[in-house]
Amino acid sequence: MKELKNYLEENKQRYLEELMELLRIPSVSADPKYKNDVRRMAEATAEHLRKVGTDAVEVFETDGHPIVYGEKMVNIKAPTVLVYGHYDVQPADPLELWDSPAFEPVVKKTKIHPDGAIFARGACDDKGQFFMHVKAFEAMLKFDKLPCNVKFMIEGEEEVGSRNLEKFCKANKKKLACDVVLISDTSIIDNQTPSLTVGLRGLSYMEVEVTGPNRDLHSGVYGGAVANPINVLSTMIASLHDKKRKITIPGFYDDVKKVSAKERKMMNQAPFDEKNYKKDLHIGDFLGEAGFTTIERTGIRPTLDVNGMWGGYIGEGAKTVLPSKAYAKISMRLVPDQDPNKIEKLFQRHFEKIAPPSVQVKVTAHHGGYPVVVPTNSVEYKAAEKAMEQAFGKKPLPQRGGGSIPIVAMFDQVFNAKSILMGFGLDSDDIHSPNEHYGLFNYYKGIETIPYFYQYYAAMKK
Ligand code: BES
Ligand code: MN
Ligand code: MN
């Protein structure tokens, strides 16, 4: 593996420049305005796959954004690794909060990243992370150190719920057949504390519309007599948590699987600096469900959050108006064994029930996703553990991630293959936020670690 490490050293600058080129493409999947850029990004990804030597490279059309595929079959007896990632990114706004433009990547040093970090939308989530796999593959193939078959499947709709990927996977089950799915789209605890993600939360995402009077009214002439839908919606939303910050929707916790005291004790041993966490976010204190630590609240407990709320007059100055309508987008993060479809129904029923007769409510569901747990006793997990240990000099801690990757639960069902969540980002990398960045240390460490995984996995599968 010495050649691979040398090759990485010699090519660091080029690897960085190649990634920066990709980061210049604004592949925002949520906004139709960027449709062509998303396609351009798919083509650029395919071109990279061709250049590093994968075969059968193809940009597959879907009803939404395309899926990029490429493969290298080295030996029918060798295990097959399916690399999943996403080339789409979240919208960059609010643009004014970026220190440098979101799609003009720059390298800057930070306290947490003294070797520098690349600042751009998608740097960590997920361009920087999926591209590590392309570069690791380049090196493995070049030095004839590729002990597994590889299939790349890089999609363009993860940030909008992977609507078309499931259909694609089911329709191409044979083509995509694999022994393990390898994903870098999560975080490690910190650069001295490697970890493997062993859980993802599921998601239900609702939109509600509350209607009061049939038109906007003078808030003096009518105010006090007619329901103000924004006031009513605020009260309804406030009632969704009780004093202990538990969610009040009947049946919401019914399927939540109890996590053993032993596992809880283990996860709380991960380093966590309360003071720094608060300082970083400029918050005076935490707020969360009573009886659980911060690590537990983001890892093993379900949540309900308003993501956005609007209605009435939000322009300059003051307009006295009693609005006709109020809206909110509400997400719920789910844990095993909660079912997003069931939770959607529970939410809808409850929301309709708590609405006073003075308003009408309309509840709709957006994309959702099932929660995931990754067993730690599999060959796949052990190989990832050894790979990380070799690269970091420390055994990685298993850690539950708070985020969601909606498609992962499906991989298990359709491919009958485990997913390994070997991400290299940091929670402080500001993914989805202004000034998203990805540490150069993390980028290169990932490229170094991935070939170790292939080596250990192939050896252990023999
Ligand atoms: N890569 C993230 C998920 C993530 C981040 C998991 C950090 C664990 C740690 C992914 O791109 C993401 O943002 N997912 C969305 C899913 C949604 C848009 C359907 C999420 O979690 O909000
Ligand atoms: Mn991601
Ligand atoms: Mn994301």
Side-chain angles (χ1 to χ4, degrees):
M1 301 299 266
K2 190 87 190 136
E3 313 97 294
L4 294 190
K5 237 182 146 172
N6 289 340
Y7 187 71
L8 170 59
E9 274 315 311
E10 286 156 18
N11 288 281
K12 277 184 166 173
Q13 190 56 33
R14 175 173 61 87
Y15 284 0
L16 175 60
E17 282 159 18
E18 287 175 346
L19 173 57
M20 283 169 95
E21 263 323 296
L22 294 177
L23 291 169
R24 289 196 178 93
I25 307 174
S27 50
V28 179
S29 51
D31 188 343
K33 191 167 91 203
Y34 294 99
K35 195 162 181 261
N36 279 328
D37 296 301
V38 176
R39 175 163 304 273
R40 215 154 42 87
M41 181 64 202
E43 295 294 347
T45 304
E47 196 46 46
H48 272 290
L49 287 179
R50 270 183 216 111
K51 218 168 63 188
V52 296
T54 60
D55 304 320
V57 175
E58 214 171 314
V59 175
F60 284 95
E61 295 305 323
T62 71
D63 290 339
H65 300 301
I67 296 163
V68 183
Y69 181 82
E71 64 178 35
K72 190 86 202 173
M73 305 304 286
V74 289
N75 180 347
I76 45 160
K77 285 195 194 122
T80 299
V81 178
L82 178 71
V83 176
Y84 164 75
H86 63 95
Y87 66 78
D88 65 321
V89 301
Q90 285 276 327
D93 44 308
L95 300 177
E96 67 279 8
L97 295 183
W98 285 76
D99 295 330
S100 55
F103 298 104
E104 293 172 28
V106 285
V107 174
K108 279 184 286 188
K109 291 191 165 71
T110 73
K111 224 167 131 189
I112 292 180
H113 295 293
D115 300 338
I118 321 162
F119 283 76
R121 171 58 84 234
C124 175
D125 185 13
D126 180 42
K127 290 181 185 175
Q129 296 216 60
F130 91 71
F131 199 59
M132 299 181 311
H133 289 269
V134 181
K135 295 296 100 180
F137 173 88
E138 172 186 326
M140 286 189 283
L141 191 66
K142 186 173 169 78
F143 293 99
D144 206 10
K145 286 272 185 305
L146 184 63
C148 304
N149 303 309
V150 192
K151 296 174 177 177
F152 285 93
M153 180 173 73
I154 315 296
E155 71 150 321
E157 294 192 306
E158 195 277 340
E159 300 290 10
V160 288
S162 301
R163 270 183 276 254
N164 295 293
L165 190 63
E166 181 165 350
K167 201 166 121 196
F168 177 79
C169 290
K170 285 181 174 157
N172 294 280
K173 222 169 135 169
K174 239 182 157 168
K175 183 185 184 69
L176 298 167
C178 58
D179 297 283
V180 63
V181 185
L182 184 59
I183 306 169
S184 295
D185 194 22
T186 52
S187 323
I188 52 175
I189 292 172
D190 61 51
N191 284 353
Q192 289 73 46
T193 318
S195 56
L196 280 161
T197 300
V198 294
L200 291 168
R201 287 197 281 190
L203 186 69
S204 292
Y205 200 114
M206 314 300 291
E207 187 159 334
V208 298
E209 180 189 304
V210 178
T211 308
N214 62 355
R215 58 191 187 276
D216 285 7
L217 301 172
H218 189 290
S219 65
V221 176
Y222 288 92
V226 176
N228 177 324
I230 302 182
N231 293 11
V232 170
L233 176 57
S234 305
T235 310
M236 288 169 74
I237 286 172
S239 79
L240 297 176
H241 287 95
D242 68 12
K243 276 210 179 74
K244 292 189 157 168
R245 307 299 302 168
K246 267 205 150 38
I247 294 153
T248 55
I249 300 170
F252 185 82
Y253 291 98
D254 281 3
D255 299 327
V256 173
K257 214 162 137 187
K258 208 167 173 253
V259 178
S260 72
K262 192 174 145 216
E263 199 182 332
R264 284 179 69 179
K265 198 172 153 208
M266 273 238 312
M267 71 177 68
N268 283 305
Q269 277 164 7
F272 177 71
D273 187 335
E274 254 188 39
K275 245 169 97 188
N276 261 336
Y277 191 100
K278 286 195 244 183
K279 205 175 123 200
D280 176 43
L281 301 176
H282 291 215
I283 51 170
D285 204 354
F286 295 100
L287 182 67
E289 190 182 355
F292 295 94
T293 64
T294 300
I295 290 179
E296 291 170 341
R297 286 168 178 173
T298 59
I300 57 166
R301 298 299 294 168
T303 59
L304 181 150
D305 276 294
V306 179
N307 295 250
M309 202 171 161
W310 68 103
Y313 182 68
I314 52 166
E316 283 289 315
K319 177 191 178 192
T320 50
V321 61
L322 196 164
S324 167
K325 283 180 187 288
Y327 305 84
K329 291 182 192 278
I330 300 171
S331 69
M332 289 162 280
R333 297 279 170 179
L334 311 178
V335 299
D337 291 324
Q338 286 177 299
D339 176 330
N341 296 315
K342 186 170 162 191
I343 294 293
E344 280 168 14
K345 289 197 185 82
L346 290 179
F347 178 95
Q348 173 157 14
R349 195 187 312 153
H350 181 64
F351 214 74
E352 285 167 358
K353 205 176 128 209
I354 62 174
S358 49
V359 298
Q360 279 172 288
V361 299
K362 200 167 113 195
V363 181
T364 48
H366 287 275
H367 53 72
Y370 284 83
V372 172
V373 262
V374 178
T376 54
N377 55 4
S378 68
V379 174
E380 290 74 20
Y381 187 85
K382 300 268 182 239
E385 198 168 51
K386 289 187 84 166
M388 278 217 147
E389 184 172 3
Q390 179 154 356
F392 284 87
K394 247 189 225 173
K395 201 169 157 178
L397 299 171
Q399 188 207 26
R400 299 247 198 154
S404 312
I405 307 176
I407 202 69
V408 175
M410 187 225 62
F411 289 151
D412 220 333
Q413 295 162 25
V414 176
F415 303 141
N416 190 25
K418 291 272 159 300
S419 292
I420 292 298
L421 299 161
M422 193 168 77
F424 293 88
L426 298 183
D427 282 346
S428 57
D429 284 346
D430 289 319
I431 64 171
H432 296 205
S433 300
N435 302 312
E436 175 178 353
H437 54 282
Y438 190 37
L440 294 182
F441 169 87
N442 304 72
Y443 181 48
Y444 298 133
K445 197 48 106 181
I447 299 173
E448 179 191 341
T449 308
I450 291 161
Y452 297 145
F453 173 80
Y454 282 77
Q455 295 294 325
Y456 285 121
Y457 186 51
M460 289 162 86
K461 283 288 270 189
K462 265 207 180 116

